[in-house]
Amino acid sequence: MSLFILPLFLAACASGGAKPARLGAWVTYWDYNRGIDSVRSAPSLLNDIYFFAAHLDSEGAPVFANKNIPFNLEAGRVKEGNALPWLTVVNDVKPSAGGAVILKDPQVIHDLLSDPDRRRQHRSEIVRLAATHGFAGVDIDYENLRAVDRDLFSLFIRELAADLKQKGILLSVTVQPKARESRADGPGAADWADLCRSADRLQIMLYNLHSGKSGPGPIATPAWIKEILQFAESQCPRERVVPILKVSGMKWGGEHAEGVQYDRAASLAEAHRAEILRDPNGNVPYFIYTDAGGRHTVYYEDAESLMEKIAALESFGYRNVVFWSLGRQDPEFLPRLAERSGRKTGR
């Protein structure tokens, strides 16, 4: 089987109007039941299911965040549906003494990459975890890395790709967005050109144009997406570049900002009888309301705004896309996507 997966996969991922779209989505461990129900509601829609499942223990070993989910069975079900199951490993760290998980920890990755023996062990543990549970691919989502680790991260991905290839397992690298080259911490710590030479897919997070670090606004616009993809094309073969769209949004208020899923945004708008407006940059819905905590602005994605982004991607020559993440998206989104793609949902 492994002899045939890679060429078929790469052929399916090639861009262009004559090629069918290849669609994927994440299912997270904290919203697992809702996410997997969304996948099952559209059994022929998605080609790639990414299980956001593994974080790191205090020693840097990849472990499942929710040990109650039978990932070997779930991976098998995905394959039976003619899709590929992927294991996402993220650099969130669970402290050995308990307490809150450290999100996107660059220190643990620096320590692993800097020591050849620990780097080798880390690769081996990832390969073992993926192979044991029947995943067809591994997705590395190491964010907020330090610029000093840029070359070591490229080396790690090159070595991991070779290790996985021996097992017939694909490799994806998920990266933060950037519109130009840099060697700053975070997005600049990923050398897209080097990563593309090793990984089967370079998946680019096309969101956080506006975030908790900025004022209110759409988390992505077509113009901003185009700018990032143009830079990506200067670094990578287009057939290896995969856009990621986020299906949720964000709420700003006072000195605070927080992510909001579609269902939460809809309930807030209804509770406060807020008028839902559309931002001209991408048709993104938003509304403003005031409560005891002050003035709040909510931007979020619905089926209409997501379909507009997908149309924009197609106009840029991209028909492959992955969605972060399923579970509480606009309930009209997957049916609309299936209709556009000429595929069936379970409805």
Side-chain angles (χ1 to χ4, degrees), residues 55-119:
H55 59 196
L56 308 180
D57 67 17
S58 58
E59 299 300 317
V63 294
F64 287 128
N66 186 340
K67 295 181 172 58
N68 295 320
I69 300 173
F71 287 110
N72 56 334
L73 297 180
E74 295 294 359
R77 291 190 183 106
V78 169
K79 290 177 180 177
E80 289 172 1
N82 296 316
L84 295 183
W86 295 75
L87 171 65
T88 292
V89 184
V90 64
N91 61 322
D92 296 343
V93 178
K94 179 66 174 176
S96 58
V101 171
I102 303 169
L103 300 178
K104 313 299 182 291
D105 182 11
Q107 184 62 49
V108 69
I109 301 303
H110 173 80
D111 294 342
L112 288 170
L113 300 184
S114 301
D115 184 324
D117 291 334
R118 292 192 67 190
R119 191 172 70 243

Side-chain angles (χ1 to χ4, degrees), residues 101-253:
V101 171
I102 303 169
L103 300 178
K104 313 299 182 291
D105 182 11
Q107 184 62 49
V108 69
I109 301 303
H110 173 80
D111 294 342
L112 288 170
L113 300 184
S114 301
D115 184 324
D117 291 334
R118 292 192 67 190
R119 191 172 70 243
R120 185 182 308 109
Q121 180 181 356
H122 187 56
R123 299 195 324 263
S124 176
E125 289 166 341
I126 291 172
V127 173
R128 185 185 310 113
L129 194 66
T132 300
H133 291 83
F135 289 100
V138 165
D139 170 50
I140 297 297
D141 180 16
Y142 292 173
E143 299 177 37
N144 296 342
L145 301 185
R146 296 171 183 165
V148 69
D149 294 323
R150 176 180 162 116
D151 293 340
L152 279 174
F153 182 60
S154 293
L155 173 61
F156 166 71
I157 292 300
R158 188 158 57 249
E159 294 170 338
L160 180 60
D163 295 343
L164 290 168
K165 187 175 182 179
Q166 293 180 11
K167 297 288 186 179
I169 299 174
L170 299 167
L171 176 61
S172 164
V173 181
T174 291
V175 296
Q176 296 166 269
K178 58 182 176 180
R180 60 194 58 83
E181 191 54 278
S182 76
R183 285 184 172 266
D185 292 348
D191 184 338
W192 289 8
D194 205 330
L195 296 175
C196 278
R197 286 191 284 270
S198 304
D200 299 295
R201 295 168 68 120
L202 184 81
Q203 302 194 144
I204 303 174
M205 299 160 56
L206 297 177
Y207 47 91
N208 292 340
L209 170 60
H210 294 89
S211 67
K213 298 179 180 180
S214 72
I219 60 172
T221 63
W224 181 72
I225 288 172
K226 183 177 182 180
E227 184 180 11
I228 293 169
L229 291 177
Q230 285 177 330
F231 172 67
E233 290 170 17
S234 74
Q235 305 295 301
C236 304
R238 176 178 283 202
E239 64 270 16
R240 291 180 183 259
V241 175
V242 180
I244 305 171
L245 295 181
K246 195 173 189 177
V247 304
S248 56
M250 181 155 285
K251 177 171 76 75
W252 290 263

Side-chain angles (χ1 to χ4, degrees), residues 34-51:
R34 288 189 181 99
I36 206 68
D37 284 348
S38 292
V39 170
R40 291 168 181 163
S41 76
S44 63
L45 177 62
L46 301 173
N47 308 98
D48 300 284
I49 308 301
Y50 288 80
F51 292 91

Side-chain angles (χ1 to χ4, degrees), residues 251-271:
K251 177 171 76 75
W252 290 263
E255 298 179 356
H256 304 286
E258 61 180 290
V260 292
Q261 301 286 345
Y262 173 86
D263 58 354
R264 174 64 173 157
S267 66
L268 283 171
E270 181 178 3

